[in-house]
Amino acid sequence: MKFLFTIVAACKLALAVENDWLLTKGDESTVARVKNECWNYGGDKICGLSLSNGLISRRFVVPDNSTQQQLDFGTVDILDQHNVSLFRRVVPEAQITIDDINYNVSTLAQEFHTGDDYTFAYCNRSSFHLTTNSDASSSFTYKTHTVTTPKVEYSFQPGTRFSPPDASWPPKGVRLEVTFENGDLMSCSFL
């Protein structure tokens, strides 16, 4: 009886692998999209952009002076195609060093309370509250963003460097360009 159960489990696993999106060409074409949305995290309503390609989605909070939302730009969630969160913790979008001084790109931070778990193992949604880091002088803050189609930044020939010969160039999809600034220094854009 135990032997029969093992064979059935192995067959089910083989069928699951057969339909894996990474191993087989899908029936549907994947379309990249950007949507303006609002989400509820820890009792707080957070609004921003959702960037998705059908397999994975990334949610960004976007500052909005017309509402009460006075948060800086930043990633607040990453979801798989089944809407299961892969997100660990709110961190700066990037860190850069200029003249031996470290700067965060974004002042968005996760507010922790006594007893919270500070690890990166998972994101505790029950006490998920966002704040803005008060030290904006050592950070670049959100200025603006644009959503466009990808453009050719450099020459590339599909079929070279192990790429499929039928790959489109420039790639299909959307391009999210976000500009950050530091009043004392300059502004910079990240793709």
Side-chain angles (χ1 to χ4, degrees):
M1 190 69 149
K2 188 175 184 182
F3 178 71
L4 179 61
F5 174 75
T6 306
I7 292 173
V8 171
C11 290
K12 284 189 175 186
L13 179 62
L15 290 174
V17 170
E18 186 177 312
N19 296 326
D20 190 294
W21 65 267
L22 189 59
L23 302 177
T24 60
K25 193 166 184 107
D27 297 334
E28 301 175 17
S29 62
T30 303
V31 178
R33 62 190 177 278
V34 176
K35 295 190 301 187
N36 290 315
E37 297 181 316
C38 291
W39 315 283
N40 189 359
Y41 289 122
D44 296 337
K45 182 180 176 183
I46 301 168
C47 297
L49 296 172
S50 177
L51 180 64
S52 176
N53 67 359
L55 295 175
I56 196 158
S57 300
R58 187 169 173 176
R59 292 177 173 172
F60 302 94
V61 64
V62 177
D64 186 357
N65 294 332
S66 65
T67 66
Q68 297 298 318
Q69 185 170 299
Q70 299 298 320
L71 298 171
D72 201 3
F73 182 92
T75 301
V76 292
D77 212 346
I78 298 173
L79 304 165
D80 70 7
Q81 71 268 28
H82 305 292
N83 267 354
V84 175
S85 181
L86 308 171
F87 192 66
R88 299 293 181 241
R89 183 172 169 187
V90 176
V91 294
E93 289 298 303
Q95 293 181 328
I96 58 175
T97 303
I98 302 171
D99 293 334
D100 293 328
I101 300 172
N102 294 326
Y103 295 91
N104 288 332
V105 176
S106 177
T107 59
L108 187 67
Q110 191 169 341
E111 185 178 304
F112 290 102
H113 302 284
T114 304
D116 281 349
D117 186 0
Y118 292 89
T119 68
F120 286 89
Y122 69 97
C123 186
N124 185 355
R125 297 290 182 194
S126 61
S127 64
F128 186 78
H129 299 287
L130 298 174
T131 185
T132 299
N133 184 346
S134 59
D135 190 11
S137 65
S138 65
S139 299
F140 284 80
T141 56
Y142 172 87
K143 182 178 179 186
T144 186
H145 73 274
T146 57
V147 177
T148 60
T149 57
K151 52 187 169 183
V152 175
E153 299 283 345
Y154 53 89
S155 64
F156 172 73
Q157 178 64 41
T160 60
R161 300 188 63 148
F162 306 103
S163 68
D166 60 346
S168 57
W169 189 254
K172 297 177 183 175
V174 295
R175 173 187 170 117
L176 174 63
E177 184 173 336
V178 184
T179 303
F180 295 85
E181 68 181 354
N182 180 304
D184 297 337
L185 295 172
M186 64 187 106
S187 66
C188 59
S189 294
F190 292 91
L191 305 177

